[in-house]
Amino acid sequence: MRKKTIRLERLDKRRVWHPFTQMKEWNSSAPLIIERGQGSCLIDAEGRRYLDGTASMWVNVHGHRKNKIDRAIKAQIDRIAHSTLLGLANAPSIELAEMLVKAAPNGLEKVFYSDSGSTAVEIALKIAFQYWEQTNKKNKKQRFIAFQGAYHGDTFGSMSVGEIDIFVEKYRPLLFKAFRAPYPYCYRCPLKKEPADCEMECLKAFEDILKKHGHEIAACVIEPRIQGAAGMITAPAGFLSAIRKLTNKYDVLLIADEVATGFGRTGKMFACEKEGVSPDIMCVAKGLTGGYMPLAATLTTDAVYNAFLGEYVEYKTFFHGHTYTGNPLGCAAAVANLKLLDKLFFRRLEKRIDIFAGLLDGFKGMAHVGDVRQAGMMAGVELVEDKKTKRPYLASLRTGHRVCMEARKHGLIIRPLGDTVVLMPVLSIKAAELKKMAEITGKCIRKVTEG
Ligand code: PLP
C-alpha cells in the first residue's frame, strides 16, 4: 500500500497542476490523496479518515456514496453515458429540467445546461446581453452591475463581474468593466457605518448607480444572501429583496448566482426563497448533482426566452453550447439528488443548522476570532490579529492556512479564504460529526492564534 501511495505522490507532483495552488509550495509537501468517501468522511490512500469540512468544495449534499445517487448513475451507465443536446434530446435532461423548474423560484421556466458554475454565469451574462440586443431598440443596454468582493467564476465574463483582486488582477486588461456596488460586509462596512444605524446605505449607493446608468445596464449579478469566496459575507435580511425591487424599478435584469447557495445550502432549496425573490436568470451548479458530477444550469423566464425566438435567418438563436451540455449521467445524478431533497430532508436540515449555529456561537469569545458568519450550512470564522481594532493578520503569516493544516492532523479537512476559516459540511452531516468539526476547528484556531 505505501509503495503505491509513494508512486502516486511522486506522479502527482510531476504531472498534475492543481487549481488555486502555488505549485512550488505543493511540491515541497506530501499531497493528500483521497481514494474513497463515505457519508461525511473522506478516506485517503493510506486508509486514514477525515471529516469532509469543505463538502468537497461546497458541492456535497447527501454525503459520499449515497446509495440512491450511486444507483441512478449506474442505471444510466447501462443505458448510455453521453449523447449530445445539439440537435438531439435525452430523457434525464428533460426530467431534470422539469424538476428544476418546479423547485425554482416562480417565473423561471426554461433551463440551459452547462458544466460548471463559471459557465452557468457566463451563459447568464450572454443571455442577458443578447436579450436586450434583441428587444431594446431605444438604447444600448450593454453594461453589468455587480458587487464589491463578488466571485462568479474563472472564465473571462465571470471574472469581469467578479472582484477578488488576487484572482483577477493579472487579467484586468482582458476583462470588461462592470459597475460595482458595495456589498453589506457589515463587520468591515465599505461605507464605514455601523449595522445599528446604517439603514442599509449600501442600497442607496446601488440605487445611485442605477439612477444614473440604469438605461445602459443589462443586468445585475448577485450572490444571494451570502458572498461565498469573499469570505462568507452574509447580507442582512432584506438586502436581496431590496435589490430585486430596485432592478425592477430601473428595468435591469437580476441574475441570481446560486452556484454556492443552491440545493439546501442556506436551509432552503435556493437562497432567493428566503426573501421571496424571483430573479430573471438563475445560475446553479455545485450541489445540483449532490456533489457527484460536473453539471450546471442557467434558468430563465419565458419573457427572456421568447426574445430569442424567430426565423433562423433572423439569427436570434442563442449560439452557445458545450460538448457535454446536458450530459445524461450528470442529469441522472441530479434527478436522484432532487428526489432526495424532500420535506423531511429540509426539516432535518433545519435542526442541523440550529445545532451548527450553537456550535459557531462557541467561537465568538475566542481571543482572535473577529467575526463569525453563518447562512445555513455555510459559515466563516474571521480571524484577526487585534479583536478591538479588527486589525487583520499580515497575509504573509497565512494564519487561516495554518489553522486548516493543523486541522488535517486531527482528521478534519477545511480550507480558508484568506484568514476566514470556512466550515462547509455535507448537508447530511450527523450532529456528532458537526460537534467534532467545531471542536477540532476551535482547538486548531487556539493553537495557531494563541499558542
Ligand atoms: N459562482 C459562485 C457564487 C461560486 O461560489 C463559484 C465557485 O465557487 C462559481 C460561481 C464558479 O463555479 P465553478 O467553480 O463550478 O466554475
Side-chain angles (χ1 to χ4, degrees):
M1 173 108 115
R2 190 68 199 135
K3 217 164 139 193
K4 184 179 145 208
T5 310
I6 290 168
R7 177 180 167 272
L8 287 175
E9 285 181 4
R10 200 165 16 93
L11 276 180
D12 178 86
K13 287 185 187 180
R14 192 184 301 162
R15 300 294 180 207
V16 183
W17 191 344
H18 288 261
F20 283 94
T21 303
Q22 175 43 257
M23 292 308 291
K24 184 176 173 207
E25 191 175 284
W26 178 272
N27 289 335
S28 64
S29 60
L32 177 54
I33 300 171
I34 299 302
E35 200 173 72
R36 284 175 297 130
Q38 191 67 56
S40 312
C41 291
L42 298 168
I43 300 152
D44 76 6
E46 294 291 287
R48 283 181 294 248
R49 287 177 88 85
Y50 302 84
L51 261 176
D52 183 358
T54 73
S56 291
M57 229 35 240
W58 314 359
V59 297
N60 200 288
V61 178
H62 307 285
H64 298 281
R65 298 301 318 275
K66 182 73 186 172
N67 194 14
K68 286 194 173 152
I69 306 182
D70 286 4
R71 277 194 286 143
I73 296 173
K74 285 175 186 163
Q76 183 57 41
I77 282 246
D78 286 338
R79 293 185 202 105
I80 188 168
H82 182 66
S83 64
T84 181
L85 281 201
L86 279 73
L88 296 173
N90 70 59
S93 69
I94 299 169
E95 298 296 351
L96 176 59
E98 174 65 5
M99 290 175 88
L100 275 174
V101 165
K102 289 215 164 108
N106 283 343
L108 296 169
E109 300 285 345
K110 298 290 189 282
V111 179
F112 194 98
Y113 289 111
S114 61
D115 30 50
S116 73
S118 304
T119 55
V121 171
E122 205 73 21
I123 286 162
L125 298 174
K126 285 178 72 174
I127 287 178
F129 186 94
Q130 191 171 338
Y131 166 78
W132 289 113
E133 291 296 300
Q134 289 171 182
T135 55
N136 191 35
K137 305 292 170 219
K138 286 200 306 262
N139 44 283
K140 293 264 175 222
K141 275 166 93 68
Q142 296 185 331
R143 310 277 313 266
F144 290 89
I145 181 165
F147 291 89
Q148 290 169 3
Y151 177 74
H152 298 288
D154 302 332
T155 51
F156 283 104
S158 59
M159 275 196 293
S160 297
V161 286
E163 205 215 21
I164 297 184
D165 274 351
I166 58 165
F167 299 171
V168 300
E169 195 53 39
K170 299 268 161 61
Y171 309 102
R172 201 77 75 190
L174 296 172
L175 307 181
F176 61 76
K177 277 203 168 64
F179 292 106
R180 195 70 57 188
Y183 195 84
Y185 180 6
C186 300
Y187 180 63
R188 298 180 188 281
C189 174
L191 304 174
K192 311 278 178 248
K193 299 273 164 188
E194 288 300 323
D197 67 1
C198 81
E199 290 173 13
M200 282 203 252
E201 238 174 76
C202 36
L203 284 173
K204 190 176 166 304
F206 181 81
E207 181 163 17
D208 285 347
I209 300 174
L210 292 200
K211 238 185 231 162
K212 206 161 159 204
H213 298 283
H215 63 281
E216 50 176 325
I217 298 177
C220 163
V221 195
I222 189 167
E223 289 163 85
R225 301 275 296 187
I226 177 169
Q227 283 189 328
M232 300 294 140
I233 313 296
T234 46
F239 182 77
L240 177 65
S241 50
I243 294 291
R244 171 71 283 190
K245 279 197 196 106
L246 290 170
T247 48
N248 278 340
K249 180 172 167 189
Y250 293 94
D251 208 13
V252 165
L253 297 178
L254 182 67
I255 300 172
D257 177 353
E258 291 256 11
V259 168
T261 48
F263 308 102
R265 187 46 70 181
T266 67
K268 297 275 180 204
M269 183 66 94
F270 298 106
C272 281
E273 248 179 77
K274 295 218 152 201
E275 298 197 21
V277 162
S278 291
D280 301 289
I281 302 176
M282 185 170 89
C283 310
V284 296
K286 290 197 186 280
L288 170 58
T289 60
Y292 268 66
M293 310 279 294
L295 183 74
T298 306
L299 282 74
T300 194
T301 59
D302 279 336
V304 170
Y305 171 85
N306 288 341
F308 290 71
L309 304 181
E311 297 307 318
Y312 181 76
V313 288
E314 289 179 80
Y315 299 118
K316 287 183 172 178
T317 305
F318 186 47
F319 287 110
H320 187 110
H322 302 281
T323 308
Y324 282 99
T325 289
N327 170 258
L329 280 180
C331 291
V335 166
N337 173 41
L338 281 170
K339 280 186 187 161
L340 291 165
L341 290 172
D342 55 13
K343 279 197 183 120
L344 180 63
F345 173 87
F346 282 100
R347 265 208 306 276
R348 288 182 174 154
L349 180 60
E350 212 175 299
K351 287 199 185 117
R352 257 172 244 137
I353 290 170
D354 285 346
I355 296 170
F356 195 27
L359 292 165
L360 289 166
D361 259 352
F363 290 103
K364 291 181 181 160
M366 292 170 70
H368 292 277
V369 169
D371 196 23
V372 180
R373 299 179 285 269
Q374 180 194 12
M377 293 297 261
M378 304 172 82
V381 181
E382 184 169 336
L383 307 176
V384 288
E385 184 160 34
D386 187 326
K387 205 163 163 159
K388 263 202 198 116
T389 61
K390 304 183 183 177
R391 187 177 69 238
Y393 284 101
L394 281 177
S396 58
L397 292 176
R398 310 202 61 212
T399 308
H401 174 74
R402 284 189 291 132
V403 170
C404 297
M405 286 298 113
E406 188 62 31
R408 220 174 253 198
K409 293 185 205 157
H410 299 273
L412 169 66
I413 294 182
I414 44 177
R415 263 178 80 84
L417 287 159
D419 285 335
T420 296
V421 174
V422 173
L423 298 176
M424 185 80 88
V426 307
L427 298 190
S428 60
I429 191 167
K430 295 189 178 87
E433 291 170 328
L434 257 182
K435 200 163 163 245
K436 186 172 163 199
M437 184 172 89
E439 271 167 16
I440 297 173
T441 307
K443 189 155 66 179
C444 296
I445 289 176
R446 278 212 173 88
K447 172 144 191 218
V448 170
T449 62
E450 297 173 31

